[in-house]
Amino acid sequence: MCIAFPGKIISIDADNFALIDIGGTRREVSLDLIDQDVTVGDYVIAHAGYALHKVDEEQAKEDLAFLQELIENEIY
Amino acid sequence: MKYIDEYRDPALAKALLGRIMQAARALDRNISIMEVCGSHTQAIGRYGIRKMLPGNIRLISGPGCPVCVTSIHDVDVGIHLAGRMGVIFATFGDMLRVPGTAGNSLQKLRAQGADVRVVASPLDSITLAQEYPDKHVIFMGIGFETTSPTIGAMVMRARKLGITNVSVFSVHKVIPPAMQALINDPSIKIDGFLCPGHVSIIIGAAAYTFIAQAGKPAVITGFEPIDVLDGIRMILEQLVEQRPAVAIQYGRGVSPEGNAKARAVLEEVFTAMDAEWRGLGTIPGSGLAFKEVYHDFDTLKRFEVPEIRSAEVKGCACGDVLRGAIVPDECPLFGQVCTPVNPIGPCMVSGEGSCAAYYKYR
């Protein structure tokens, strides 16, 4: 039930609601619970009608680069 | 899809499995890893991860499916409330088919004419309250720390908007006390925990310090197959190095400090109470009750509930499954009388219940 998806912010309205795009599906989510500054184009993790977290793009890149290294140094 | 497709890359999975094999060989003993979250259980089943792992690495499901751990008495109280006159009962879809005493359920009640609605967000209950001013909307507040802030925020919004015909029947639970109870139980042997990624968005990494202090790895893990394999790798490598710690695999989703704003909402609206978990019994401080200033939004303060005698279904081993004491197919009812079409216990109802995941992907 704690399922949550990364969606891209399309627009933000005056009542602090954002329209987000999750793989082609659009949903409206409240930004009342998120504790980072977000803007149009950011990815947020959304759950039960609320955005909870801004996806950390730098961290994601770094983690993927680390995993990529695993492939290059594959040991069997 | 960005942030999803790259975490389903077969080449990465193969490399991670190589590392997992290597660590498993180095450990040379049986290792049990508990995935605490129901969404992990679902991902492990869906991607066939259990069968990929070396023979000495066992994954066991924990108490991370909210409808599964809801006590049968709370289910019965929900069914009672949904049957009251003038009530619209709103809840998440998972709750509908959970059997109460004598096989009753919200779904059956709805078939008999009760106004039970499935909603995707607690905010929908505000919309319902506005649409039906002469009815009272009860929202069944269920879920862990991922979900409870959304209910807290909804209540604060309802107050701001001056809406008085909505209340919450709170059966919310918090995760760390349940993990503590599992660590304290000598009959359950767990070597490491895959910690729930989305609960951790809110509570942060420090909430699991007690696990590392008990000598066990605790790795906050995401929900794509690469995430789960990477989380398992991190646990095994910690075990090989004998350096148990709290670590974050799901760095794109979780910051070490968590979401302070969401925690402030929880702090504003709720206070800790003892709560009964199916399979685990009563765990001190593991539930959320409304603070006095929000009692006008507490269903149990607005409606008097008569004494209800609840009785568990005979033979259902859901409680043992939730503690990780047995795996689903060790239950005599599993797949015989208890199936997703005709679920006897809640672990077979929810898509993220361990029994349902075992059945679907066996």
Side-chain angles (χ1 to χ4, degrees):
Chain A
M1 216 179 87
C2 291
I3 201 96
F5 293 103
K8 188 179 184 177
I9 298 181
I10 306 296
S11 61
I12 299 173
D13 74 10
D15 199 20
N16 211 25
F17 278 83
L19 188 66
I20 62 168
D21 181 291
I22 306 170
T25 307
R26 294 199 168 189
R27 295 248 176 95
E28 204 183 37
V29 294
S30 166
L31 299 175
D32 283 353
L33 286 174
I34 200 156
D35 67 348
Q36 299 132 305
D37 288 329
V38 290
T39 173
V40 170
D42 285 340
Y43 279 78
V44 290
I45 295 177
H47 169 77
Y50 286 83
L52 297 180
H53 185 79
K54 178 172 141 182
V55 177
D56 188 335
E57 192 146 15
E58 282 308 305
Q59 187 72 47
K61 268 189 203 149
E62 208 177 284
D63 290 347
L64 273 179
F66 171 77
L67 290 178
Q68 210 58 44
E69 257 174 63
L70 287 187
I71 296 192
E72 281 146 26
N73 303 309
E74 211 172 331
I75 322 158
Y76 281 101
Chain B
M1 259 169 87
K2 198 175 174 188
Y3 297 121
I4 297 222
D5 294 341
E6 54 273 50
Y7 299 93
R8 295 181 181 173
D9 177 359
L12 275 182
K14 197 168 156 236
L16 284 168
L17 276 169
R19 290 285 286 258
I20 288 170
M21 301 284 177
Q22 203 185 10
R25 268 198 302 272
L27 286 164
D28 196 28
R29 59 187 161 95
N30 289 334
I31 301 292
S32 294
I33 296 173
M34 176 173 274
E35 89 272 7
V36 174
C37 177
S39 301
H40 280 146
T41 303
Q42 218 166 16
I44 287 162
R46 181 171 173 197
Y47 297 106
I49 290 172
R50 194 169 275 108
K51 286 174 193 146
M52 290 176 201
L53 297 178
N56 61 328
I57 309 299
R58 192 168 79 117
L59 292 178
I60 47 176
S61 306
C65 157
V67 304
C68 305
V69 298
T70 300
S71 74
I72 191 144
H73 187 260
D74 285 341
V75 176
D76 287 339
V77 171
I79 293 169
H80 165 82
L81 290 165
R84 297 280 284 249
M85 290 295 289
V87 160
I88 298 176
F89 194 87
T91 188
F92 296 125
D94 268 13
M95 200 60 223
L96 230 59
R97 293 170 65 220
V98 174
T101 297
N104 215 350
S105 70
L106 290 168
Q107 183 169 272
K108 283 186 182 167
L109 201 69
R110 182 162 79 166
Q112 291 158 19
D115 195 349
V116 178
R117 314 265 183 127
V118 172
V119 296
S121 163
L123 287 170
D124 296 337
S125 52
I126 290 187
T127 313
L128 282 169
Q130 286 170 324
E131 247 175 82
Y132 299 92
D134 52 341
K135 301 246 182 181
H136 185 90
V137 179
I138 295 176
F139 182 79
M140 183 155 178
I142 183 167
F144 303 121
E145 291 94 321
T146 322
T147 315
S148 45
T150 71
I151 281 94
M154 179 274 277
V155 163
M156 288 168 72
R157 186 173 171 82
R159 173 163 283 179
K160 201 173 117 194
L161 295 172
I163 293 169
T164 54
N165 61 326
V166 64
S167 65
V168 175
F169 170 40
S170 169
V171 298
H172 290 293
K173 293 186 172 53
V174 289
I175 283 284
M179 294 177 79
Q180 181 74 65
L182 289 169
I183 287 179
N184 293 347
D185 186 338
S187 71
I188 302 162
K189 296 265 177 289
I190 301 164
D191 298 286
F193 289 92
L194 286 171
C195 295
H198 291 144
V199 162
S200 308
I201 288 182
I202 309 299
I203 69 177
Y208 304 107
T209 308
F210 69 95
I211 299 175
Q213 281 166 352
K216 295 173 198 297
V219 178
I220 297 168
T221 303
F223 299 93
E224 295 303 325
I226 295 303
D227 293 319
V228 176
L229 289 172
D230 198 24
I232 294 168
R233 173 193 68 83
M234 289 169 75
I235 289 175
L236 295 178
E237 292 184 354
Q238 282 191 20
L239 288 170
V240 170
E241 290 162 16
Q242 297 183 342
R243 267 193 295 202
V246 181
I248 301 176
Q249 181 281 329
Y250 191 38
R252 66 190 184 282
V254 171
S255 59
E257 63 278 9
N259 182 334
K261 194 171 172 185
R263 286 201 304 271
V265 166
L266 287 177
E267 183 69 22
E268 159 77 17
V269 177
F270 297 110
T271 178
M273 66 168 177
D274 298 350
E276 195 194 335
W277 297 55
R278 192 187 299 253
L280 303 178
T282 299
I283 302 176
S286 68
L288 296 178
F290 278 97
K291 280 196 172 153
E292 211 174 325
V293 286
Y294 284 95
H295 273 181
D296 46 335
F297 289 98
D298 184 349
T299 304
L300 296 180
K301 292 281 182 289
R302 303 208 24 181
F303 291 81
E304 199 145 326
V305 178
E307 197 191 314
I308 297 172
R309 286 188 184 206
S310 300
E312 296 283 356
V313 185
K314 277 208 176 70
C316 172
C318 197
D320 294 330
V321 171
L322 289 167
R323 284 188 296 125
I326 65 166
V327 291
D329 54 9
E330 287 171 330
C331 171
L333 304 186
F334 179 84
Q336 304 294 324
V337 282
C338 184
T339 63
V341 177
N342 181 32
I344 304 295
C347 298
M348 190 58 99
V349 174
S350 169
E352 59 184 36
S354 348
C355 296
Y358 254 74
Y359 189 89
K360 188 167 176 191
Y361 301 108
R362 67 184 172 165

